[in-house]
Amino acid sequence: MEFCGTENDVITVMEIFAGIEDDCEMSLLYHNIRFIIALKRPTTNPLDNDTSIESTLLQNLDIAASDPDELVFDRCLEDVRDLAISKCKNMMNELAPPIGQQDAGAEARLQSLEEMIHPETFVLQLVTVKGELAPCLLGGRGKGCVLLHHHGLPTINENDGDGDDVEVVPATEITVLENLLFQKVVKVSWKNEVCIFKSASVEGKSQLIREIHVLRTLEEVRRAGDGDGGENNDNVRLHIPHFLGLVKSHKSNGIIGFLEEYIPSSQNLDNDIINTPSSSENNNTPIPSLSEKKTKWLNQISESIFFLHKNNLVWGDAKAQNVLVDGKGEGDAWLVDFGGSWTQGWVDAEVAETVEGDLQGLRRIREVLGLGGGMES
């Protein structure tokens, strides 16, 4: 989530940790510098009457977290977040001036992936001072402080990445082009080729391991050319990004994610794309009808799903949002996101991460495309 006062004054909220009887810690990115803002529980006797503003805010979060309506907690957390940012903004401006003022060459120099995931970090604790909530600088520029939560990307073992025959790329050799989704999905350059870096949240390590396994297995099948489809079959073009390698961070001392093929000019398969007639800048190129375009996408999605199943693999979270259409929504349909799980309205919980679940999701994608009932493999 992003907040901005001007085009060049953007604060990106990376993560927020909060819960019943827990401290609240939020990780923000501002001018390529990370700020961790903390609201901490009092260390005094819990029976003492603590009237500090931070204690009241944490108590409000406790009450909201106990409410059966999850939206109550979400709204309370948003209020706390907005208040924290407003109170810390002046200090953040002092510690993180605009990039051009930090370093004369900073605007022209692209970050490495290692630099992006391990930015300079300051820790600010919000405390009550003379009846007002105010930030106190706890740590920064290499000075440590005690935090209850891990801020940054989790690591997995190389063995979790399915063995030792895969290329492992140092994060220092990868250049960041665009942070697409909170450092979880990043457009990068490696060996002068544009690709995608994917990582995981602390809670999502198993999903990262699952996705690596699926994509690596597909690469082995593609290389073997067993005739079941993919790159060596003239009748089938597998529309699943290629797996390129694992990514290792020296500072994290572990595997932090992987690289996969970049799908250019892609958009999620949503109503805007589904209901937009095709266009062409070349008058000599026949323009496919809307029905023809939808049928092509369904065939590509179906062929990719059936190829997975023939090789004892499952897509998992089958839904239209996990389909990318290249060529600015005019081209081919690609399956992405193989971390598993399920989404209400697309796949039922009891068939999550199964062949049946994939087919259920496929039927619902077909319905969204307006092409009728389901298909079976």
Side-chain angles (χ1 to χ4, degrees):
M1 185 170 295
E2 293 185 342
F3 298 82
C4 60
T6 66
E7 183 178 354
N8 297 316
D9 191 37
V10 177
I11 298 174
T12 302
V13 181
M14 306 299 294
E15 293 176 309
I16 302 180
F17 298 98
I20 296 177
E21 297 185 357
D22 194 4
D23 289 351
C24 178
E25 296 175 4
M26 54 193 77
S27 179
L28 317 175
L29 196 64
Y30 184 55
H31 295 160
N32 284 348
I33 291 177
R34 179 168 58 190
F35 288 89
I36 298 173
I37 301 176
L39 288 164
K40 302 184 78 65
R41 300 278 171 175
T43 56
T44 56
N45 189 321
L47 296 179
D48 292 343
N49 185 23
D50 185 351
T51 59
S52 67
I53 298 173
E54 62 270 25
S55 181
T56 300
L57 292 172
L58 290 169
Q59 289 172 14
N60 291 342
L61 284 172
D62 287 346
I63 295 170
S66 301
D67 196 294
D69 184 353
E70 293 182 359
L71 290 178
V72 173
F73 178 72
D74 291 342
R75 286 193 289 265
C76 184
L77 191 60
E78 287 176 2
D79 291 340
V80 172
R81 176 202 65 198
D82 294 350
L83 177 63
I85 290 175
S86 68
K87 295 298 182 181
C88 293
K89 183 65 184 296
N90 288 340
M91 184 174 286
M92 291 168 63
N93 273 323
E94 294 175 5
L95 296 170
I99 294 174
Q101 296 177 24
Q102 296 175 30
D103 177 354
E107 288 182 304
R109 184 179 65 83
L110 294 173
Q111 278 186 307
S112 72
L113 186 62
E114 188 78 74
E115 290 172 319
M116 187 192 78
I117 62 178
H118 292 287
E120 183 174 14
T121 300
F122 293 97
V123 181
L124 310 179
Q125 181 178 347
L126 284 169
V127 297
T128 301
V129 179
K130 297 180 179 180
E132 296 286 338
L133 199 62
C136 174
L137 179 62
L138 291 185
R141 301 190 186 280
K143 298 178 182 178
C145 64
V146 177
L147 294 171
L148 295 183
H149 301 280
H150 172 81
H151 294 267
L153 301 183
T155 60
I156 62 173
N157 298 323
E158 287 191 36
N159 289 338
D160 291 332
D162 277 1
D164 56 4
D165 62 334
V166 63
E167 184 160 12
V168 178
V169 184
T172 53
E173 297 181 6
I174 300 170
T175 301
V176 174
L177 300 179
E178 184 178 1
N179 188 357
L180 300 176
L181 185 65
F182 308 121
Q183 298 185 357
K184 305 299 184 289
V185 182
V186 184
K187 183 179 176 182
V188 299
S189 175
W190 175 55
K191 293 183 176 179
N192 296 318
E193 294 289 337
V194 176
C195 48
I196 291 293
F197 165 74
K198 293 192 71 175
S199 64
S201 63
V202 175
E203 298 82 5
K205 289 173 66 171
S206 61
Q207 293 180 334
L208 178 67
I209 293 169
R210 183 188 191 277
E211 184 156 22
I212 289 171
H213 168 72
V214 170
L215 293 177
R216 284 212 56 211
T217 302
L218 282 177
E219 284 306 299
E220 293 172 0
V221 172
R222 281 163 150 163
R223 288 195 297 266
D226 63 359
D228 264 344
E231 313 306 314
N232 298 312
N233 188 314
D234 291 336
N235 298 318
V236 176
R237 169 74 167 93
L238 186 60
H239 288 86
I240 294 175
H242 281 276
F243 178 84
L244 304 177
L246 299 173
V247 177
K248 185 171 185 175
S249 165
H250 172 71
K251 291 184 178 179
S252 298
N253 194 31
I255 301 299
I256 56 171
F258 67 93
L259 295 175
E260 69 177 4
E261 179 184 5
Y262 171 64
I263 309 303
S265 302
S266 58
Q267 300 179 40
N268 293 102
L269 186 64
D270 57 21
N271 289 332
D272 289 341
I273 292 178
I274 291 171
N275 298 316
T276 301
S278 297
S279 61
S280 175
E281 296 179 358
N282 186 347
N283 295 329
N284 296 322
T285 302
I287 300 176
S289 68
L290 197 56
S291 176
E292 290 172 335
K293 189 167 64 170
K294 292 178 181 180
T295 299
K296 179 186 74 170
W297 292 339
L298 180 64
N299 289 338
Q300 291 170 337
I301 295 166
S302 302
E303 288 171 348
S304 294
I305 291 175
F306 298 157
F307 182 78
L308 287 169
H309 294 173
K310 288 177 182 179
N311 289 281
N312 300 313
L313 297 170
V314 171
W315 183 10
D317 194 7
K319 59 182 178 181
Q321 188 179 0
N322 287 338
V323 176
L324 293 181
V325 179
D326 64 20
K328 297 182 179 179
E330 296 286 348
D332 296 319
W334 297 75
L335 302 194
V336 295
D337 194 348
F338 297 88
S341 189
W342 61 281
T343 300
Q344 186 175 3
W346 294 93
V347 176
D348 297 338
E350 57 269 22
V351 294
E353 299 182 22
T354 67
V355 169
E356 183 182 352
D358 278 2
L359 296 180
Q360 184 181 67
L362 177 58
R363 287 192 293 270
R364 289 174 177 169
I365 290 172
R366 181 176 180 129
E367 291 168 1
V368 167
L369 288 170
L371 297 175
M375 298 179 66
E376 302 296 336
S377 58

